[in-house]
Amino acid sequence: MLFTAVGCSVTRRLKDNQALVRKVTISGVDKEFNEAAALYVDKEIQPNNYINLQLYYLFSKNGKRNIGEPPALLDSDLVEFSRLQIEKFLQNKGYLKARVSDSITVKKKKAHLYFTAAEGSMFRIRKFQDSILDKKVQALYRVNRHRFSHLQPGGRFDLDSLAFDRDQFYQIMKRNGYYDFFRQYISFNYDSTFNNGVVDIKMLIANPEGKSAHPVYTINNTLISIANSNGRKPGKPDTLQVDSQFRFVDYSHKFKPYILTRYIFQRKGDIYNIDQQNLTTSRLSELNVFRNVPNPQYVKLADSTHRLNTELDLVPLKQKSDRVEGEVLFNSGRYGFNIGNTYTNRNMFRQAAVLQVKFNYSVLFNARSSDLNPGLVENQDFRAGVSLTYPRIISPFDFPTLGKYGVPHTTFSSNYSLFYQRGLVKRQSFINAITYEWAETSRKLHTLTPINIEFSRGNIDPVARRLLIDSNRYSYVFLIGRTIFTIGTQYTYQLNANRLNSYDNFTYFRGSVDVGGNSLAAISNLLDARRDDAGNRTLFGYAFAQYTKGEIDLRFYHHIGGERQFIFRINPGIGVPYGNSNQLIFEKEFYAGGANDIRAWLPRTLGPGQFNRASYGVGDTANIIRSRVKYLDQFGEIKIIGNAEYRYTIANNFFGTKLKGATFVDFGNIWRLHNTVENPGGKFRLDNLLQSTAVGIGTGLRFDLSYFIFRLDAALKFKDPQFQGSDQFVLIKHFNELFHEGSFKENYRIANSNSIDPARNTERYNFLQLNFGIGLPF
């Protein structure tokens, strides 16, 4: 094993008697343990990360600032300590006669450390036996040993395996009523015959002092005590004897007992079980109404019945909170802001139900206002919503408590949105839904929305309507200007969502299906409901939408070592209108581009397929249409998005954050299901898949503050499908115009003009797109 550090001018800063550790070489260690042995070299003499070291000297003045990492200076005491640690590690792994030597070479104040191991023969287990005085404990051990033990005859003798077996059986004892059992009762005797390289092991489990057996405890009564949010217990509490087990004492006067008793999994008469104890603590924490839920306390009854009284001492979080969030956007003369407010009441009706009221307003300005859009404001978006989430399944049917792997939730929500694009449309939508969430296992999550009612209405600017109709683009009028509603059902299944923040090797899957309008179609057919001018059935005077939409998010996470990870993601989706609809609802269409998608394009500016906005033509009418439908004319019923991203750590300490980096390739597009007049070249065709696929490349920084991640990504358009042939590879063919104006950008500006007056044409081709965000892109 070889550690190296990049050469730098640091050595010039060192004193005459100092040397910088540049390399550490470990040899003679079995390949299986080579990487692990390197971890036993003391961190203070492990070679520096180049960037961390430069940050230290750049920002840490005389060591007063804790940024980056100080230089790894040669220390003979730490070298000796590391040698002993590596030697002990090898002996613990079965090389009982292992010896490690060290040596040091120093040249020009740069030190190279060598650790050389002479492992000797590996010792194996010849015989294993147990000596357990308590016969019930002995029977429990022998029944379960084959499920967990690493100590098998013929296997490698490993002290870590002894510790593992001890801990595993300790947990088994704690699951089977042995509340008073401690790890110290378990010990191992082993006899090594050095000449033969084998070891005999005997495991011993002692009885409690002065007793002939380990007692088994059962649960008796449970006291639930709730203080005020400041942790105090003043005045007279609400007191209730719920049943023969639970006594409820609430000084906050804000909770109903059954909200808590539902998620206490230790019942009167049950044997003590540490898993049920931990499950209780986890589920009460997930209610998100208490501060740092502690493990229950147990009090042994004074009699000889081996019963435990349980005490739960809880402190509520503050019931109400208000959060304001905002962001600023900027790209090539367009800028805007997004501001939102979320009010939360986390204990409505004394049932730990969470009420959230959200408001969000965003506006996009264009500093280069054109004659077709003389105002600065391009579009505005206002959203408001209210949701009430209960920590249980609320249904007319009787469901068992689904709390083993997570607290289930029932959410009632209502949302309103208003979108306004100057000179084109004002569109409103209302959505009301009931949603259930529950965990099948720790890895499998389900979300079901059995009832989702959506109503949307659009009002198109009269001038824009006439222009669109005159240019034979009636489907745009139909898409954004009609009034329509639907009632549907949605379902989502997730696998391994609980591992997304780990460095494990795993596959993440998220699949969703959205089906709408079928029940309305059945009712309208049964009633023989009248049809509108477009031939669509109507109910309550409005046409309804009928469709099916599905989407998959599949990711492969691969740990490369340390804090390095490679992720490959494929995200396909399709929406199919049928029956009473020949086009998806505006809000159900797919769009491409953005900070979590193909990052080299702004949202709603890519596709569909090889659609080029220059196809609107030239002249005043084309320029007007192009200007008015911007951000609304690039949609599709099919999408395939892919991402490949390599993530790594740059610096462990950068102004109090962990600075991480990413290099990525994004690819994909959206497509139309059929040929359309509005989007020539936009239809999905297998024989044209590669030609119509966009590719973006880039790199980014992630500032990891533990509780959230701030992200900055810079992405470049590499292959742009709106062009033809080799012209698609814009970064290669027009690299000289990356940061400069040239003929390519000028031709694009003219072909995609959004102004009657050429001098006021604000359209630009941007190779580079910056994306700011909170959290990882996926």
Side-chain angles (χ1 to χ4, degrees):
M1 167 75 54
L2 176 68
F3 287 117
T4 63
V6 179
C8 60
S9 60
V10 174
T11 53
R12 293 198 299 268
R13 305 172 184 261
L14 303 181
K15 298 178 182 179
D16 292 339
N17 62 340
Q18 291 181 325
L20 179 71
V21 178
R22 285 282 311 280
K23 295 181 181 179
V24 176
T25 301
I26 301 175
S27 59
V29 176
D30 186 274
K31 184 179 180 181
E32 181 182 357
F33 306 115
N34 202 11
E35 185 174 341
L39 300 177
Y40 289 87
V41 177
D42 192 276
K43 289 186 176 180
E44 293 189 19
I45 57 172
Q46 289 185 10
N48 295 102
N49 173 284
Y50 175 75
I51 295 178
N52 279 335
L53 187 57
Q54 297 307 314
L55 289 173
Y56 176 83
Y57 278 113
L58 182 62
F59 296 107
S60 299
K61 296 180 179 179
N62 300 320
K64 293 182 180 180
R65 293 185 181 180
N66 189 24
I67 299 173
E69 63 184 28
L73 300 178
L74 178 62
D75 185 325
S76 58
D77 291 337
L78 292 180
V79 173
E80 172 62 13
F81 175 77
S82 300
R83 183 194 69 80
L84 292 173
Q85 290 297 104
I86 296 172
E87 188 173 273
K88 183 178 179 181
F89 165 72
L90 293 175
Q91 292 170 355
N92 287 345
K93 289 301 177 183
Y95 297 97
L96 299 184
K97 301 173 73 174
R99 296 293 181 266
V100 177
S101 61
D102 65 77
S103 61
I104 305 170
T105 61
V106 179
K107 185 177 182 181
K108 296 181 180 180
K109 295 187 178 181
K110 298 173 184 177
H112 188 165
L113 310 184
Y114 298 87
F115 295 96
T116 304
E119 291 182 326
S121 60
M122 182 178 69
F123 281 70
R124 296 188 176 275
I125 300 171
R126 185 181 69 171
K127 184 171 62 174
F128 178 89
Q129 58 182 346
D130 62 65
S131 176
I132 304 173
L133 298 177
D134 188 326
K135 297 306 178 184
K136 291 183 179 179
V137 174
Q138 183 185 60
L140 184 65
Y141 175 76
R142 291 181 176 180
V143 166
N144 288 279
R145 181 178 181 274
H146 72 279
R147 297 189 179 98
F148 67 83
S149 181
H150 289 178
L151 304 175
Q152 304 295 337
R156 186 182 71 250
F157 174 71
D158 186 340
L159 291 181
D160 290 337
S161 293
L162 300 185
F164 176 84
D165 273 35
R166 175 189 289 114
D167 189 68
Q168 289 298 303
F169 189 62
Y170 165 78
Q171 294 294 330
I172 289 174
M173 292 289 284
K174 288 289 190 177
R175 295 185 192 111
N176 285 273
Y178 293 94
Y179 168 76
D180 259 348
F181 190 84
F182 301 103
R183 290 179 178 85
Q184 289 80 355
Y185 286 119
I186 305 174
S187 60
F188 293 92
N189 289 338
Y190 53 91
D191 177 34
S192 59
T193 306
F194 283 5
N195 292 333
N196 296 325
V198 295
V199 177
D200 293 337
I201 301 176
K202 176 184 287 188
M203 190 199 74
L204 303 94
I205 299 181
N207 283 337
E209 186 175 352
K211 295 183 179 180
S212 60
H214 290 270
V216 175
Y217 288 85
T218 57
I219 300 299
N220 190 44
N221 295 329
T222 300
L223 171 65
I224 304 171
S225 178
I226 303 175
N228 282 337
S229 59
N230 58 13
R232 299 176 182 174
K233 298 180 177 180
K236 185 178 181 181
D238 294 336
T239 304
L240 178 66
Q241 185 68 40
V242 179
D243 55 26
S244 62
Q245 176 183 356
F246 294 105
R247 182 173 178 79
F248 182 76
V249 180
D250 182 11
Y251 288 87
S252 72
H253 310 286
K254 293 181 178 180
F255 293 92
K256 292 184 178 180
Y258 72 88
I259 298 302
L260 305 180
T261 58
R262 177 184 289 112
Y263 295 112
I264 295 176
F265 293 90
Q266 299 182 112
R267 298 295 174 173
K268 190 168 187 174
D270 292 349
I271 63 170
Y272 167 79
N273 186 331
I274 194 172
D275 287 350
Q276 299 296 80
Q277 169 191 300
N278 294 336
L279 189 61
T280 296
T281 302
S282 296
R283 297 302 164 262
L284 292 179
S285 296
E286 287 178 28
L287 291 176
N288 199 29
V289 292
F290 297 111
R291 186 189 310 162
N292 300 325
V293 176
N295 282 324
Q297 299 296 314
Y298 298 96
V299 179
K300 302 175 189 175
L301 269 66
D303 56 28
S304 60
T305 57
H306 299 128
R307 289 180 295 168
L308 298 172
N309 282 338
T310 309
E311 296 180 1
L312 275 168
D313 219 349
L314 304 171
V315 178
L317 291 167
K318 288 185 178 180
Q319 184 173 349
K320 301 174 182 179
S321 65
D322 196 75
R323 184 178 74 250
V324 178
E325 297 176 315
E327 62 180 351
V328 178
L329 312 171
F330 180 81
N331 177 268
S332 186
R334 291 182 175 86
Y335 62 94
F337 66 83
N338 181 0
I339 187 168
N341 184 85
T342 301
Y343 165 80
T344 302
N345 185 323
R346 56 172 51 91
N347 187 26
M348 289 291 294
F349 315 121
R350 301 174 64 188
Q351 297 181 40
V354 178
L355 172 71
Q356 283 197 329
V357 181
K358 296 182 178 182
F359 298 94
N360 183 275
Y361 174 71
S362 61
V363 59
L364 180 67
F365 302 95
N366 191 343
R368 305 190 187 105
S369 60
S370 68
D371 50 354
L372 300 178
N373 189 7
L376 286 176
V377 176
E378 278 202 348
N379 60 56
Q380 301 175 74
D381 192 2
F382 172 76
R383 298 174 184 271
V386 59
S387 65
L388 183 62
T389 301
Y390 288 87
R392 66 185 189 277
I393 298 296
I394 299 177
S395 168
F397 307 104
D398 187 18
F399 283 97
T401 300
L402 303 174
K404 183 175 181 180
Y405 298 103
V407 173
H409 295 98
T410 301
T411 301
F412 302 89
S413 62
S414 183
N415 295 279
Y416 167 78
S417 68
L418 170 64
F419 175 81
Y420 169 74
Q421 181 149 324
R422 185 183 181 91
L424 181 63
V425 68
K426 180 175 74 173
R427 187 166 180 82
Q428 303 175 78
S429 67
F430 305 84
I431 301 176
N432 298 278
I434 301 174
T435 300
Y436 299 107
E437 297 178 345
W438 72 96
E440 178 186 348
T441 69
S442 60
R443 299 168 57 240
K444 300 176 182 179
L445 303 179
H446 302 266
T447 304
L448 174 65
T449 303
I451 302 175
N452 186 74
I453 305 172
E454 301 185 34
F455 177 87
S456 57
R457 177 172 57 202
N459 296 314
I460 298 182
D461 179 88
V463 176
R465 175 186 287 271
R466 176 50 49 195
L467 283 169
L468 292 171
I469 293 176
D470 289 346
S471 60
N472 197 27
R473 299 182 188 277
Y474 180 75
S475 67
Y476 283 169
V477 177
F478 187 69
L479 177 68
I480 63 178
R482 62 175 170 165
T483 299
I484 197 166
F485 78 103
T486 191
I487 298 177
T489 298
Q490 300 168 353
Y491 171 73
T492 299
Y493 170 77
Q494 290 188 79
L495 178 68
N496 285 330
N498 60 324
R499 303 174 71 181
L500 288 177
N501 293 323
S502 74
Y503 284 102
D504 298 336
N505 295 320
F506 66 96
T507 299
Y508 168 81
F509 174 84
R510 183 180 188 274
S512 62
V513 62
D514 181 359
V515 180
N518 291 338
S519 58
L520 296 176
I523 294 172
S524 67
N525 290 332
L526 183 65
L527 299 178
D528 193 22
R530 73 178 185 87
R531 297 179 183 271
D532 61 13
D533 294 339
N536 299 320
R537 294 277 191 183
T538 62
L539 286 174
F540 313 111
Y542 298 107
F544 58 88
Q546 196 173 359
Y547 65 91
T548 295
K549 181 180 178 182
E551 187 174 356
I552 290 174
D553 186 347
L554 180 63
R555 311 176 201 169
F556 302 93
Y557 289 78
H558 180 66
H559 182 219
I560 301 174
E563 294 186 341
R564 296 175 297 149
Q565 192 177 39
F566 176 78
I567 303 99
F568 179 80
R569 175 197 188 209
I570 189 73
N571 177 210
I574 184 171
V576 180
Y578 57 88
N580 207 51
S581 299
N582 56 16
Q583 192 169 356
L584 288 178
I585 304 174
F586 176 74
E587 289 78 12
K588 299 294 182 181
E589 298 281 1
F590 290 114
Y591 299 89
N596 302 314
D597 200 285
I598 302 181
R599 286 162 275 190
W601 278 262
L602 282 170
R604 301 174 182 255
T605 63
L606 174 61
Q610 291 191 268
F611 170 64
N612 190 323
R613 300 187 84 241
S615 64
Y616 285 113
V618 295
D620 293 349
T621 299
N623 294 346
I624 293 172
I625 294 175
R626 195 161 26 235
S627 174
R628 294 198 180 228
V629 300
K630 188 174 181 63
Y631 303 120
L632 297 177
D633 59 346
Q634 295 181 269
F635 59 88
E637 294 82 23
I638 298 173
K639 83 165 181 176
I640 302 175
I641 303 297
N643 313 89
E645 183 164 297
Y646 170 61
R647 298 172 183 169
Y648 51 91
T649 296
I650 299 174
N652 291 318
N653 188 354
F654 182 76
F655 292 94
T657 73
K658 179 173 284 190
L659 180 61
K660 299 181 178 181
T663 303
F664 54 84
V665 176
D666 302 329
F667 60 91
N669 206 337
I670 54 172
W671 292 267
R672 301 300 303 270
L673 270 173
H674 309 289
N675 285 318
T676 62
V677 174
E678 299 80 18
N679 301 119
K683 181 184 176 182
F684 179 81
R685 296 187 357 241
L686 282 175
D687 62 351
N688 191 46
L689 183 59
L690 293 180
Q691 292 92 324
S692 59
T693 295
V695 179
I697 61 174
T699 187
L701 299 174
R702 285 90 168 94
F703 301 87
D704 189 348
L705 299 173
S706 296
Y707 46 92
F708 79 92
I709 295 175
F710 174 73
R711 171 168 53 94
L712 169 62
D713 287 331
L716 291 166
K717 295 179 177 69
F718 182 80
K719 179 179 178 292
D720 192 337
Q722 69 176 305
F723 304 115
Q724 300 295 322
S726 63
D727 289 337
Q728 290 188 341
F729 296 91
V730 291
L731 189 61
I732 297 175
K733 193 161 186 177
H734 307 290
F735 184 79
N736 60 323
E737 296 186 40
L738 181 60
F739 299 110
H740 304 282
E741 297 298 317
S743 60
F744 168 72
K745 287 185 176 179
E746 178 62 19
N747 291 335
Y748 179 86
R749 189 180 74 87
I750 294 172
N752 291 271
S753 174
N754 59 10
S755 173
I756 298 174
D757 181 1
R760 303 189 69 179
N761 178 13
T762 62
E763 190 62 34
R764 297 289 187 273
Y765 189 86
N766 297 303
F767 289 91
L768 177 66
Q769 175 62 41
L770 297 178
N771 295 284
F772 301 88
I774 301 296
L776 296 173
F778 49 84

